[in-house]
Amino acid sequence: MKLWAAYCKQNGKRAIRFPRDVPTRWNSTYKLLARSYEYRDLLVTFIQYHVSHINLYQSHWDACSNVCGLLKVFYTATNNLSSVYYPTTNLFIIESLNTAGAFAHCESDSELHGSVTAVKDKWLEYYKEFPNIYLIALCFDPRCRLESLPDYLSAYYEQGLKIDYDVDMCCARVKTLLYELYDGYIKVYGPSPNIDVPQTQNVSGSSSSSSGFVNLGYNLLSKKTKKLRGSSSSSSTTYSELESYLSTSFGFIEDTEDKKFDILYWWKEHERYFPILAMIAKQILSTPVSTVAVEQQFSAGGNILDPKRSLMSPKSLQIQVCVEDWTKAQYRQQEIDQEEPYDFFKDDQPDESRTDDHGND
């Protein structure tokens, strides 16, 4: 490691410690390969002089680049769906569509075909059919709604996974569930008053989503925000609010991939027009896709309660975990990756072999 640090310094590069490929840590393989690829020129010459039993060639780095392209889709999806600062339920199908697009793109690569096929088969064990909660959540995204669901499902199954699936039957089931859910809320809270929804046209801005199969979901979302929908209809039926929402045209600035669209704020602004639907949206969108936040709290508790502090009461442990999490929440630091690049030229870094996760001896 000292030789590597000195070699990087001689070549004007910052010496770093590469992430480790840990089987139980999500995306660790991608982080390792992506960071190694940045230093590929230095690594080739350094290994040539200091690690005689290993040879690196351009073909190795080409394979590394191809694998990184596939793993980056999972890395991005994991980060986007593990957030605690915005709803993620409505994004699941979009991210899944990106993943399916990556499968279709990488299957044409002869070197990756076998691996991608195995990953795809494993994926189909879980997401050959989407849970209803994700389908309903997409309908409560005003950029998509029920009318866009057939396009997303068709792209997912036909262009991405390339398998047969009855999209029409699935959409009919979702529509039935949507009306049944609305009907259940109507029975409890009563029908909402008819309020005319202001008509707006979509405003398209500069899109940050790139082209290609790997962004199939966001590209489709970008097209949907540009599409002008029909005007709202004044219906006097029991489902007037729901039908008004499904048929009204709304205006959006196209910032889909940057997550600048605040769906909770949108529902808050339109609650006076769709009071029943706003209540349903809060329930549906509050469902987290990932268990990362929960697992992090279990890990935090395990770091505090160790063999040297085994007498701490459950209440004290709960207090300490909550205070730490609330402090991070105050400064919006709950999602910051703690794996910072290691700087070999910084003298004040602790000796990790003699300290625990909190820097204690």
Side-chain angles (χ1 to χ4, degrees):
M1 300 304 294
K2 292 182 179 179
L3 290 174
W4 167 249
Y7 188 75
C8 289
K9 186 176 182 180
Q10 293 173 3
N11 289 272
K13 296 281 286 186
R14 180 189 179 191
I16 62 169
R17 174 179 294 176
F18 295 98
R20 294 185 179 183
D21 187 12
V22 183
T24 57
R25 187 171 181 84
W26 293 355
N27 299 309
S28 61
T29 304
Y30 169 74
K31 292 179 180 180
L32 168 61
L33 294 180
R35 183 56 62 88
S36 300
Y37 193 80
E38 295 177 7
Y39 283 75
R40 60 187 181 279
D41 295 333
L42 284 181
L43 283 172
V44 168
T45 54
F46 178 80
I47 289 178
Q48 182 180 357
Y49 291 117
H50 298 283
V51 189
S52 58
H53 63 282
I54 296 178
N55 294 315
L56 289 178
Y57 302 103
Q58 184 60 39
S59 59
H60 295 146
W61 294 115
D62 292 340
C64 175
S65 177
N66 293 336
V67 172
C68 278
L70 175 63
L71 295 183
K72 184 178 180 179
V73 179
F74 289 93
Y75 174 77
T76 303
T78 302
N79 288 341
N80 291 343
L81 297 178
S82 301
S83 175
V84 297
Y85 296 127
Y86 56 82
T88 55
T89 318
N90 60 305
L91 300 176
F92 183 83
I93 292 182
I94 298 174
E95 295 293 348
S96 298
L97 184 52
N98 290 339
T99 305
F103 291 154
H105 178 72
C106 295
E107 277 184 321
S108 60
D109 191 317
S110 59
E111 296 181 352
L112 291 178
H113 179 78
S115 300
V116 172
T117 301
V119 174
K120 178 180 174 181
D121 292 340
K122 189 67 176 179
W123 175 272
L124 287 174
E125 292 181 13
Y126 294 92
Y127 301 117
K128 187 175 183 179
E129 291 191 8
F130 289 116
N132 291 329
I133 183 69
Y134 300 140
L135 299 169
I136 295 294
L138 189 68
C139 296
F140 278 94
D141 189 328
R143 300 168 297 176
C144 306
R145 299 185 288 185
L146 185 62
E147 66 174 358
S148 300
L149 186 59
D151 296 330
Y152 281 94
L153 295 180
S154 297
Y156 177 75
Y157 290 106
E158 297 175 7
Q159 299 181 39
L161 300 180
K162 298 180 181 179
I163 61 175
D164 295 330
Y165 187 78
D166 195 338
V167 173
D168 293 335
M169 181 179 294
C170 178
C171 293
R173 185 184 78 249
V174 173
K175 183 176 182 180
T176 301
L177 290 173
L178 190 61
Y179 275 79
E180 289 178 351
L181 182 63
Y182 179 78
D183 188 53
Y185 273 75
I186 285 292
K187 292 179 180 178
V188 176
Y189 299 100
S192 57
N194 292 329
I195 301 179
D196 293 334
V197 183
Q199 299 299 303
T200 56
Q201 293 185 352
N202 292 11
V203 180
S204 59
S206 58
S207 174
S208 60
S209 59
S210 59
S211 59
F213 273 105
V214 294
N215 285 286
L216 196 60
Y218 284 110
N219 290 340
L220 183 57
L221 179 59
S222 174
K223 294 178 182 178
K224 293 301 175 184
T225 57
K226 293 180 181 180
K227 181 180 178 182
L228 182 62
R229 299 179 174 87
S231 60
S232 63
S233 58
S234 57
S235 175
S236 59
T237 63
T238 307
Y239 304 100
S240 58
E241 180 184 333
L242 178 57
E243 292 172 351
S244 176
Y245 165 72
L246 295 177
S247 61
T248 301
S249 58
F250 302 108
F252 302 103
I253 297 177
E254 190 185 340
D255 289 319
T256 55
E257 196 175 11
D258 289 340
K259 305 297 179 301
K260 294 181 179 179
F261 174 70
D262 190 339
I263 189 172
L264 292 181
Y265 180 79
W266 188 94
W267 276 107
K268 180 180 179 181
E269 290 290 299
H270 291 77
E271 186 175 9
R272 60 176 299 216
Y273 307 114
F274 311 112
I276 301 297
L277 291 178
M279 288 190 289
I280 303 176
K282 292 177 183 178
Q283 294 290 327
I284 297 295
L285 298 175
S286 63
T287 306
V289 170
S290 174
T291 60
V292 168
V294 178
E295 293 175 1
Q296 286 178 340
Q297 295 312 308
F298 278 106
S299 299
N303 293 335
I304 296 173
L305 192 64
D306 57 23
K308 296 181 179 179
R309 287 176 287 200
S310 58
L311 297 180
M312 181 179 294
S313 66
K315 184 176 181 180
S316 299
L317 176 63
Q318 181 182 7
I319 292 173
Q320 189 159 345
V321 170
C322 289
V323 169
E324 181 179 0
D325 185 66
W326 294 340
T327 303
K328 290 182 178 180
Q330 182 180 0
Y331 298 100
R332 285 295 208 245
Q333 295 178 343
Q334 291 164 299
E335 297 177 346
I336 294 179
D337 193 346
Q338 300 298 325
E339 290 186 354
E340 295 294 335
Y342 188 86
D343 190 350
F344 290 91
F345 308 113
K346 188 175 180 180
D347 297 327
D348 59 348
Q349 296 210 34
D351 184 1
E352 293 185 349
S353 62
R354 300 181 58 187
T355 59
D356 59 17
D357 292 339
H358 300 278
N360 301 321
D361 293 334

